[in-house]
Amino acid sequence: MTTKIAMPLRGSCFCSFGILYFFLNSFIFPTASYTLNNCRVTQNTQAICQKNSFKVFPKDIPARVTSIELSGNNISTLNKTDLNNVPNLLRLDLTRNRISKIESSTFVVQISLKVLILNNNRLCKLQEGMFDGLVNLIELRLTSNLIQTIAPASFKSLSKLKILDLGHNNLCHLTNVYLQHTPQLQNLYIPANKISTFHSWELSNKSTELDVLDLSQNELMYFRLTAGIFPKLKTLHLEDGIEDGIVWEVNDKSYLRRVVRLDISGVRSSLHGLQEVLETFNSSSLRYLQLNHINNSLQVLINVSCKNPKLSTFEI
């Protein structure tokens, strides 16, 4: 009688081990990253999809992803269903696409999103409902679009916003950049637009949390501050932003008493106009003053500025 002992095939053992290894490696011990339809998804839940010629928002990004990098693509529209499958986003970067339209309710499921970057796109108008749902957004970047108008309630949902960048657009006034919809806003950047008038009542009729205000590279002919809406303002950028003959009206110098840093480099105002601006800050906390590219009686302006005992640094 012959006893036969069944031995497992070597190939079968290897195959089974391979399957087990794949399971452990993919689900229990995930690799550093993997590629999915031209997007690389990293272990720290970031989807990197930049410069891949996407014309629409990619649909197969895993729901666990918390950050999406989609810069340098050809997306022209954000539809209201595009982001429904990625509810855990904290950061979304859509820089350098061709976005000209964002449908209402596009972001309604993005209640966790904190940073939204839409720089270098083709938006002409910010519509009501465009940012609905972004109740935890902290930073919104819209620089270098074609924005001319802002609907009255565009920012109504952004109650936690702290940074708003509207630089390098085509805004002619600040109407509807209404800060009472963004009560926690600290940094407001509006450089390189076509703003000729600044009226404080267009922004707010009560105190704000603004720490930085950038109005540089505009065409200011009127600056009217009629209420103390900037009790915490520390940095004011006006470089290349004041035209000759500006009407500068600050009803009470104490409205700007907390300003520590002022930049009026390259302004085109007359000596009298510049003196009027600087005298506003004689009783303020001003310590750092930038007067670059000013050839108009620079020494006179320095003498006026030195009346402020707290001023310690010039940049000329």
Side-chain angles (χ1 to χ4, degrees):
M1 178 177 176
T2 304
T3 303
K4 295 182 178 179
I5 302 175
M7 297 293 291
L9 294 176
R10 184 177 181 182
S12 299
C13 288
F14 180 80
C15 181
S16 299
F17 177 77
I19 293 172
L20 177 63
Y21 176 80
F22 175 79
F23 175 80
L24 292 173
N25 196 50
S26 298
F27 297 97
I28 299 178
F29 307 113
T31 56
S33 65
Y34 63 90
T35 300
L36 180 69
N37 191 23
N38 295 322
C39 291
R40 182 168 62 88
V41 181
T42 67
Q43 188 175 6
N44 63 353
T45 65
Q46 180 183 17
I48 302 173
C49 314
Q50 59 192 130
K51 298 181 180 179
N52 279 313
S53 299
F54 285 112
K55 293 183 178 181
V56 296
F57 197 94
K59 300 293 185 183
D60 54 355
I61 296 176
R64 67 184 180 85
V65 162
T66 59
S67 176
I68 299 178
E69 168 64 68
L70 266 166
S71 62
N73 284 285
N74 297 316
I75 300 170
S76 61
T77 301
L78 289 182
N79 297 310
K80 59 184 178 182
T81 59
D82 281 346
L83 287 89
N84 286 355
N85 297 326
V86 282
N88 298 307
L89 283 184
L90 299 175
R91 186 178 190 277
L92 175 59
D93 188 348
L94 288 157
T95 301
R96 292 189 305 280
N97 275 273
R98 299 179 179 180
I99 299 170
S100 60
K101 181 181 179 181
I102 300 177
E103 290 187 355
S104 180
S105 302
T106 293
F107 299 106
V108 289
V109 301
Q110 300 304 319
I111 59 174
S112 298
L113 193 68
K114 294 184 180 298
V115 178
L116 175 59
I117 305 175
L118 289 161
N119 296 337
N120 299 92
N121 277 284
R122 299 179 180 180
L123 293 169
C124 294
K125 181 178 181 179
L126 302 185
Q127 306 274 7
E128 291 190 20
M130 182 179 286
F131 302 115
D132 283 0
L134 298 176
V135 294
N136 286 300
L137 195 71
I138 292 175
E139 181 176 344
L140 176 58
R141 302 278 183 179
L142 290 158
T143 191
S144 297
N145 276 270
L146 304 169
I147 301 169
Q148 295 180 325
T149 57
I150 300 174
S154 295
F155 303 132
K156 191 174 182 179
S157 298
L158 309 182
S159 59
K160 294 187 178 179
L161 194 68
K162 293 185 177 181
I163 300 172
L164 175 59
D165 189 349
L166 291 163
H168 297 268
N169 280 287
N170 295 321
L171 293 170
C172 293
H173 50 74
L174 297 176
T175 305
N176 299 333
V177 184
Y178 202 47
L179 299 189
Q180 287 180 216
H181 290 154
T182 54
Q184 297 188 38
L185 193 69
Q186 296 177 358
N187 294 14
L188 177 58
Y189 302 100
I190 324 178
N193 278 270
K194 299 176 181 179
I195 298 169
S196 60
T197 60
F198 173 87
H199 301 304
S200 58
W201 60 83
E202 292 181 341
L203 290 179
S204 180
N205 56 17
K206 64 179 184 180
S207 296
T208 68
E209 295 293 313
L210 274 192
D211 179 81
V212 176
L213 175 60
D214 188 347
L215 293 167
S216 61
Q217 300 177 60
N218 277 285
E219 303 166 355
L220 289 175
M221 288 297 298
Y222 296 91
F223 184 97
R224 292 189 171 101
L225 184 57
T226 57
I229 67 169
F230 297 139
K232 298 183 179 181
L233 189 68
K234 293 182 180 179
T235 301
L236 179 58
H237 289 280
L238 296 171
E239 63 269 27
D240 295 307
I242 298 178
E243 294 294 312
D244 191 17
I246 186 172
V247 176
W248 181 269
E249 295 180 3
V250 178
N251 287 4
D252 188 331
K253 292 181 180 180
S254 67
Y255 293 163
L256 296 171
R257 66 184 182 279
R258 294 292 181 87
V259 174
V260 173
R261 185 186 187 104
L262 174 66
D263 191 345
I264 56 171
S265 300
V267 298
R268 294 171 288 278
S269 179
S270 65
L271 175 60
H272 173 74
L274 286 174
Q275 283 181 289
E276 193 173 20
V277 172
L278 290 173
E279 286 171 356
T280 304
F281 299 91
N282 280 347
S283 58
S284 71
S285 301
L286 191 65
R287 294 176 184 172
Y288 192 93
L289 176 61
Q290 291 173 268
L291 293 168
N292 297 306
H293 311 297
I294 292 182
N295 300 317
N296 188 1
S297 303
L298 184 59
Q299 187 58 55
V300 175
L301 297 178
I302 292 174
N303 293 340
V304 171
S305 304
C306 286
K307 293 179 181 178
N308 186 336
K310 295 182 180 179
L311 186 64
S312 60
T313 305
F314 282 99
E315 185 176 312
I316 55 177

